[in-house]
Amino acid sequence: MHRAAQSPPLHHPVPQHFSTVPQLRSPPPPPGSAQSQQLGYGGNPYQQQQGGNIGNAFGAYGQFMNDPTAQVAAQFGQTAFKHGQEYVEQNIGRYVNVSALKYYFNVSNFYVVNKLFLVLFPWRHKPWSRKQAVGANGQELRYLPPRDDINSPDMYIPVMALVTYILLSTLVAGVRGKFNPELLGYTATIALGVVIFEIIALKVGCYLLSISSQSQLLDLIAYSGYKFVGIIVTIAIAEIVNGGKGTGGWVGWLVFIYTFLANSLFLMRSLKYVLLPETAANSGGPMQTDTRVKRNQRTQFLFFYSYLVQLFFMWLLTRP
């Protein structure tokens, strides 16, 4: 007997039972939207981490500022800074009159532009006398600040011209391939030395000629710095036109002669009220009329300073 062929057993899939049903979530909103910012979705994990760090930092800063010890330390720091500022002002006030120095920096853009034009083109300017106004007590006359009087000396233009001259001289040396880090200090020393020498010479001359004024020193310092305006113009034009040859070319010499004469005339007209007391006396100033001999001596001294001294120092400072 033949056994019938047996078919293979059938295997039915065994159903699987899940203890939990998976939850379906909607995809995150696109990055950069307001909803993504509210839900905390960032452009990348680094941005999410960075935002968390910033939040933690602000939270720590808020906790620190709410700390009573930190508040006491902040108040102590503010008090110490205030007392330190008062100490510095009191000690500087022993040597420098801060209120008087602020007077020379009381300028405006309109004044600066017109003053530069006056220094470079003084030929047709009138009048040269300084304006005065009644003081707070109703009797004393005081000069108006530079903002209100074009003929008033200021410190802003001389200081900025001095700094510009130092930087321009160093730049020109760099263009010529002669730059040296020590050149900045050397140029600044020469420029400041010239100004200090001028002030000492003027003070000695004023002492010998019996010239006194309450604001004489600061006025002389201001006027001694106006020469740097002409020096800057001379160096810049000569360097551009002569192609790096400095003031040696004929164009450089022409510009130098013009700026020198303009600066000399400007000083001759401006320093009259300081070195010629008669002019100030006639306009109600504090100085008194002196003898004719003294007046001639002061006029000669003013001419010597405005032309001969300025010629030498301007030539020295414009040399390459």
Side-chain angles (χ1 to χ4, degrees):
M1 294 180 65
H2 296 283
R3 293 181 179 180
Q6 297 178 358
S7 61
L10 298 176
H11 297 278
H12 299 280
V14 179
Q16 297 179 2
H17 300 280
F18 294 95
S19 59
T20 58
V21 179
Q23 298 179 358
L24 299 179
R25 297 182 179 180
S26 59
S33 61
Q35 185 179 2
S36 65
Q37 295 178 359
Q38 294 177 358
L39 296 177
Y41 293 102
N44 51 56
Y46 174 76
Q47 294 178 353
Q48 296 178 3
Q49 181 181 1
Q50 186 179 14
N53 294 336
I54 294 176
N56 295 334
F58 276 108
Y61 178 77
Q63 294 178 1
F64 175 77
M65 293 305 298
N66 292 329
D67 189 1
T69 306
Q71 295 178 359
V72 173
Q75 294 178 358
F76 177 77
Q78 294 177 358
T79 305
F81 177 78
K82 181 179 179 180
H83 286 291
Q85 185 178 7
E86 293 177 354
Y87 176 80
V88 172
E89 292 180 355
Q90 291 176 0
N91 284 272
I92 294 178
R94 297 179 182 178
Y95 307 98
V96 179
N97 191 344
V98 179
S99 60
L101 195 60
K102 290 180 179 179
Y103 166 87
Y104 290 88
F105 285 93
N106 185 10
V107 299
S108 61
N109 295 333
F110 179 81
Y111 167 82
V112 172
V113 173
N114 285 273
K115 191 73 171 191
L116 290 175
F117 186 84
L118 174 59
V119 173
L120 295 175
F121 305 98
W123 315 108
R124 302 185 63 180
H125 175 72
K126 288 182 181 180
W128 290 90
S129 59
R130 295 182 60 180
K131 298 179 182 179
Q132 293 179 325
V134 180
N137 55 5
Q139 296 179 355
E140 181 183 1
L141 295 177
R142 61 179 182 87
Y143 290 117
L144 294 179
R147 177 185 292 270
D148 301 323
D149 184 12
I150 189 65
N151 295 321
S152 177
D154 69 283
M155 291 287 190
Y156 178 80
I157 293 178
V159 170
M160 296 303 296
L162 176 62
V163 175
T164 305
Y165 164 74
I166 296 172
L167 298 178
L168 179 62
S169 300
T170 308
L171 177 63
V172 170
V175 172
R176 298 175 184 175
K178 300 179 181 179
F179 175 77
N180 190 340
E182 299 178 355
L183 186 61
L184 279 172
Y186 174 78
T187 306
T189 302
I190 295 298
L192 292 176
V194 168
V195 174
I196 294 174
F197 180 83
E198 280 191 20
I199 299 305
I200 294 176
L202 285 172
K203 290 296 293 182
V204 172
C206 292
Y207 173 78
L208 296 177
L209 295 175
S210 303
I211 302 173
S212 61
S213 175
Q214 295 179 355
S215 60
Q216 181 190 96
L217 177 61
L218 296 178
D219 288 353
L220 296 179
I221 293 176
Y223 283 118
S224 66
Y226 285 113
K227 71 169 65 65
F228 290 100
V229 176
I231 292 173
I232 292 170
V233 173
T234 302
I235 295 177
I237 295 179
E239 192 69 21
I240 294 174
V241 175
N242 294 334
K245 297 181 181 179
T247 56
W250 64 271
V251 175
W253 280 110
L254 287 179
V255 176
F256 171 77
I257 292 174
Y258 175 83
T259 55
F260 156 69
L261 293 176
N263 180 71
S264 298
L265 179 63
F266 170 76
L267 292 179
M268 279 285 296
R269 295 290 186 265
S270 299
L271 286 174
K272 266 187 161 184
Y273 77 97
V274 177
L275 301 181
L276 297 179
E278 295 80 13
T279 305
N282 293 334
S283 60
M287 300 182 183
Q288 302 297 329
T289 306
D290 208 340
T291 61
R292 183 176 295 274
V293 177
K294 284 287 186 180
R295 181 178 183 277
N296 293 334
Q297 293 176 353
R298 291 166 180 167
T299 304
Q300 295 173 2
F301 177 72
L302 177 59
F303 178 84
F304 176 79
Y305 170 73
S306 301
Y307 283 90
L308 300 182
V309 174
Q310 298 301 312
L311 175 63
F312 174 73
F313 284 128
M314 290 186 68
W315 173 84
L316 177 66
L317 295 173
T318 52
R319 292 300 88 201

